[in-house]
Amino acid sequence: MANPFYKRDVLSLKDFKREDLELLFSTTDKLTEMKYRERVSLGEGRILGIMFFEPSTRTRLSFESAMASIGGTSVGFSETKTTSIEKGESFADTVRIVEANSDVVVLRHPMEGSARFASEISLKPIVSGGTGTEEHPTQAMLDLYTIYKEKGRIDGLRICIVGDLKYGRTVYSLIYALSKYDVKVDLVSPPILKIRREATYNLEKIAGKDKSIEITERESLKSVLHEVDVVYVTRIQRERFPDEQEYEKVRGSYYLDAELAGMMKSDAIVMHPLPRLDEIRPDLDATPHARYFKQVQYGRNVRAALLSLILNS
Ligand code: CP
């Protein structure tokens, strides 16, 4: 199979097929088993450009660590205050400067469409590290890999996605990724945080096959908790609300703790892209359901595999 990631932008999960994701997962498995010398040959002498216009802990550290783990290095910025953007340099020129100093660039930005715009300027591949409320494709790649590793399969599972489905960008990438599998998905949220129609519209076309994902929207987490294999919890994205009053209407409206997790199947897992606030209570961490820190561990190798596929034919 030709490498579909080679020199390619990673902007949306809509752009990748199921077999592409499976190649990424098998590459991640291989890379995880590789000896140090073989692993560092994949990115030796290569440079990852980092352009982060929004705060991040996991995505930036994970990409930098992933690049170092395959023998490469990273340059760039994680806040604009230390760059010439402060002197008025445009976004387009900033992209040109970072890509001229890199082999591949990861971009996080608060505006929808910014990664696609950057990809039209850059000669090097652009990987979205999350743009506005739009998508966070590499998060969905590691989420799907976590499900595959922890449940042994993706087809046939029932997956509940709960929380801020309106503004949470990881949810959109995850639905586009899951649409390529035979899964049942329960979307649970307060009414004002329901999924935007763009996520469920035209899923057949995105899936590239007869649609077999089944989506049900609900308001009650308890009503479905005992039936699902995976609960994917998301944070309320306070920073994306138009005003504080809207946020106050939904603050604390859902959570999962050890007591509620007791209603789940014994082998059901709980995931979260993190950071979490109060929607996953700390007492859940010690239960056998918690997988949100395992997700972070898988993320480094998934991103290392992705970078190695982008950089090597
Ligand atoms: N999951 C995630 O994107 O976390 P950060 O915002 O810390 O990168």
PDB file of all heavy atoms in Angstrom, residues 14 27 31 53 64 66 82 117 163 172 183 222 264 278 297:
ATOM      1  N   LYS A  14     -12.094  14.116   7.820  1.00  0.00           N
ATOM      2  CA  LYS A  14     -12.903  13.858   6.624  1.00  0.00           C
ATOM      3  C   LYS A  14     -12.018  13.433   5.458  1.00  0.00           C
ATOM      4  O   LYS A  14     -12.481  12.803   4.527  1.00  0.00           O
ATOM      5  CB  LYS A  14     -13.655  15.136   6.218  1.00  0.00           C
ATOM      6  CG  LYS A  14     -14.727  15.578   7.161  1.00  0.00           C
ATOM      7  CD  LYS A  14     -15.360  16.841   6.588  1.00  0.00           C
ATOM      8  CE  LYS A  14     -16.191  17.549   7.605  1.00  0.00           C
ATOM      9  NZ  LYS A  14     -16.594  18.884   7.181  1.00  0.00           N
ATOM     10  N   THR A  27       1.436   1.208  11.987  1.00  0.00           N
ATOM     11  CA  THR A  27       2.745   1.879  12.075  1.00  0.00           C
ATOM     12  C   THR A  27       3.047   2.238  13.533  1.00  0.00           C
ATOM     13  O   THR A  27       4.185   2.100  13.995  1.00  0.00           O
ATOM     14  CB  THR A  27       2.764   3.148  11.181  1.00  0.00           C
ATOM     15  OG1 THR A  27       2.379   2.775   9.866  1.00  0.00           O
ATOM     16  CG2 THR A  27       4.132   3.802  11.149  1.00  0.00           C
ATOM     17  N   LEU A  31       6.233   1.007  15.549  1.00  0.00           N
ATOM     18  CA  LEU A  31       7.135   2.004  16.132  1.00  0.00           C
ATOM     19  C   LEU A  31       7.305   1.797  17.642  1.00  0.00           C
ATOM     20  O   LEU A  31       8.403   1.965  18.188  1.00  0.00           O
ATOM     21  CB  LEU A  31       6.538   3.378  15.832  1.00  0.00           C
ATOM     22  CG  LEU A  31       7.462   4.555  15.882  1.00  0.00           C
ATOM     23  CD1 LEU A  31       7.292   5.412  14.642  1.00  0.00           C
ATOM     24  CD2 LEU A  31       7.188   5.387  17.092  1.00  0.00           C
ATOM     25  N   PHE A  53      -0.978  29.330  18.633  1.00  0.00           N
ATOM     26  CA  PHE A  53      -1.603  30.620  18.927  1.00  0.00           C
ATOM     27  C   PHE A  53      -2.600  30.519  20.087  1.00  0.00           C
ATOM     28  O   PHE A  53      -3.286  31.495  20.394  1.00  0.00           O
ATOM     29  CB  PHE A  53      -2.347  31.144  17.688  1.00  0.00           C
ATOM     30  CG  PHE A  53      -1.442  31.570  16.560  1.00  0.00           C
ATOM     31  CD1 PHE A  53      -0.875  30.627  15.712  1.00  0.00           C
ATOM     32  CD2 PHE A  53      -1.155  32.906  16.346  1.00  0.00           C
ATOM     33  CE1 PHE A  53      -0.046  31.015  14.660  1.00  0.00           C
ATOM     34  CE2 PHE A  53      -0.339  33.308  15.299  1.00  0.00           C
ATOM     35  CZ  PHE A  53       0.224  32.356  14.458  1.00  0.00           C
ATOM     36  N   GLU A  64       6.271  17.560  20.331  1.00  0.00           N
ATOM     37  CA  GLU A  64       7.720  17.777  20.512  1.00  0.00           C
ATOM     38  C   GLU A  64       8.389  16.483  20.948  1.00  0.00           C
ATOM     39  O   GLU A  64       9.460  16.117  20.452  1.00  0.00           O
ATOM     40  CB  GLU A  64       7.960  18.888  21.543  1.00  0.00           C
ATOM     41  CG  GLU A  64       7.590  20.262  21.000  1.00  0.00           C
ATOM     42  CD  GLU A  64       7.878  21.405  21.975  1.00  0.00           C
ATOM     43  OE1 GLU A  64       8.430  21.159  23.061  1.00  0.00           O
ATOM     44  OE2 GLU A  64       7.544  22.540  21.635  1.00  0.00           O
ATOM     45  N   ALA A  66       7.242  13.430  20.488  1.00  0.00           N
ATOM     46  CA  ALA A  66       7.151  12.465  19.378  1.00  0.00           C
ATOM     47  C   ALA A  66       8.281  12.714  18.381  1.00  0.00           C
ATOM     48  O   ALA A  66       8.945  11.765  17.926  1.00  0.00           O
ATOM     49  CB  ALA A  66       5.799  12.603  18.694  1.00  0.00           C
ATOM     50  N   THR A  82       6.354  36.472  22.033  1.00  0.00           N
ATOM     51  CA  THR A  82       7.802  36.466  21.792  1.00  0.00           C
ATOM     52  C   THR A  82       8.124  36.456  20.291  1.00  0.00           C
ATOM     53  O   THR A  82       9.267  36.228  19.903  1.00  0.00           O
ATOM     54  CB  THR A  82       8.440  35.215  22.435  1.00  0.00           C
ATOM     55  OG1 THR A  82       7.776  34.058  21.896  1.00  0.00           O
ATOM     56  CG2 THR A  82       8.327  35.227  23.941  1.00  0.00           C
ATOM     57  N   PHE A 117      -5.997  27.476   5.527  1.00  0.00           N
ATOM     58  CA  PHE A 117      -5.383  28.685   4.947  1.00  0.00           C
ATOM     59  C   PHE A 117      -3.855  28.553   4.979  1.00  0.00           C
ATOM     60  O   PHE A 117      -3.171  28.816   3.978  1.00  0.00           O
ATOM     61  CB  PHE A 117      -5.858  29.912   5.737  1.00  0.00           C
ATOM     62  CG  PHE A 117      -5.249  31.207   5.286  1.00  0.00           C
ATOM     63  CD1 PHE A 117      -5.457  31.677   4.003  1.00  0.00           C
ATOM     64  CD2 PHE A 117      -4.460  31.961   6.151  1.00  0.00           C
ATOM     65  CE1 PHE A 117      -4.879  32.879   3.571  1.00  0.00           C
ATOM     66  CE2 PHE A 117      -3.875  33.168   5.732  1.00  0.00           C
ATOM     67  CZ  PHE A 117      -4.087  33.619   4.442  1.00  0.00           C
ATOM     68  N   GLY A 163     -21.035  15.800  26.848  1.00  0.00           N
ATOM     69  CA  GLY A 163     -20.483  17.081  27.270  1.00  0.00           C
ATOM     70  C   GLY A 163     -20.813  18.210  26.335  1.00  0.00           C
ATOM     71  O   GLY A 163     -21.928  18.311  25.823  1.00  0.00           O
ATOM     72  N   TYR A 172     -15.871  16.608  16.869  1.00  0.00           N
ATOM     73  CA  TYR A 172     -16.127  16.621  15.419  1.00  0.00           C
ATOM     74  C   TYR A 172     -15.163  15.678  14.699  1.00  0.00           C
ATOM     75  O   TYR A 172     -15.588  14.846  13.883  1.00  0.00           O
ATOM     76  CB  TYR A 172     -16.066  18.068  14.886  1.00  0.00           C
ATOM     77  CG  TYR A 172     -17.260  18.816  15.417  1.00  0.00           C
ATOM     78  CD1 TYR A 172     -17.273  19.293  16.733  1.00  0.00           C
ATOM     79  CD2 TYR A 172     -18.416  18.949  14.666  1.00  0.00           C
ATOM     80  CE1 TYR A 172     -18.398  19.895  17.278  1.00  0.00           C
ATOM     81  CE2 TYR A 172     -19.552  19.564  15.187  1.00  0.00           C
ATOM     82  CZ  TYR A 172     -19.535  20.029  16.500  1.00  0.00           C
ATOM     83  OH  TYR A 172     -20.659  20.597  17.034  1.00  0.00           O
ATOM     84  N   VAL A 183     -20.396   1.398  14.216  1.00  0.00           N
ATOM     85  CA  VAL A 183     -20.530   1.683  15.651  1.00  0.00           C
ATOM     86  C   VAL A 183     -21.875   2.370  15.922  1.00  0.00           C
ATOM     87  O   VAL A 183     -22.469   2.964  15.027  1.00  0.00           O
ATOM     88  CB  VAL A 183     -19.392   2.615  16.156  1.00  0.00           C
ATOM     89  CG1 VAL A 183     -18.076   1.890  16.231  1.00  0.00           C
ATOM     90  CG2 VAL A 183     -19.268   3.868  15.300  1.00  0.00           C
ATOM     91  N   LYS A 222     -27.271   9.000  32.528  1.00  0.00           N
ATOM     92  CA  LYS A 222     -27.658   7.803  33.297  1.00  0.00           C
ATOM     93  C   LYS A 222     -28.452   6.811  32.457  1.00  0.00           C
ATOM     94  O   LYS A 222     -28.327   5.603  32.631  1.00  0.00           O
ATOM     95  CB  LYS A 222     -28.485   8.211  34.517  1.00  0.00           C
ATOM     96  CG  LYS A 222     -27.642   8.629  35.699  1.00  0.00           C
ATOM     97  CD  LYS A 222     -28.528   8.841  36.917  1.00  0.00           C
ATOM     98  CE  LYS A 222     -27.735   9.477  38.033  1.00  0.00           C
ATOM     99  NZ  LYS A 222     -28.586  10.033  39.071  1.00  0.00           N
ATOM    100  N   MET A 264     -21.748   1.272  35.035  1.00  0.00           N
ATOM    101  CA  MET A 264     -21.238   0.893  33.710  1.00  0.00           C
ATOM    102  C   MET A 264     -20.922  -0.593  33.652  1.00  0.00           C
ATOM    103  O   MET A 264     -20.731  -1.241  34.683  1.00  0.00           O
ATOM    104  CB  MET A 264     -19.962   1.705  33.396  1.00  0.00           C
ATOM    105  CG  MET A 264     -20.243   3.175  33.177  1.00  0.00           C
ATOM    106  SD  MET A 264     -18.776   4.242  33.184  1.00  0.00           S
ATOM    107  CE  MET A 264     -17.637   3.334  32.222  1.00  0.00           C
ATOM    108  N   ASP A 278     -14.330  19.750  36.298  1.00  0.00           N
ATOM    109  CA  ASP A 278     -15.064  18.961  37.299  1.00  0.00           C
ATOM    110  C   ASP A 278     -15.935  17.886  36.670  1.00  0.00           C
ATOM    111  O   ASP A 278     -16.707  17.241  37.364  1.00  0.00           O
ATOM    112  CB  ASP A 278     -15.901  19.879  38.185  1.00  0.00           C
ATOM    113  CG  ASP A 278     -16.878  20.713  37.363  1.00  0.00           C
ATOM    114  OD1 ASP A 278     -16.884  20.569  36.120  1.00  0.00           O
ATOM    115  OD2 ASP A 278     -17.636  21.497  37.950  1.00  0.00           O
ATOM    116  N   GLN A 297      -0.469   8.687  26.893  1.00  0.00           N
ATOM    117  CA  GLN A 297       0.700   7.838  26.597  1.00  0.00           C
ATOM    118  C   GLN A 297       0.654   7.342  25.159  1.00  0.00           C
ATOM    119  O   GLN A 297       1.652   7.385  24.452  1.00  0.00           O
ATOM    120  CB  GLN A 297       0.738   6.647  27.553  1.00  0.00           C
ATOM    121  CG  GLN A 297       1.097   7.031  28.972  1.00  0.00           C
ATOM    122  CD  GLN A 297       0.816   5.892  29.954  1.00  0.00           C
ATOM    123  OE1 GLN A 297       0.661   4.739  29.586  1.00  0.00           O
ATOM    124  NE2 GLN A 297       0.739   6.225  31.220  1.00  0.00           N
TER     125      GLN A 297
END
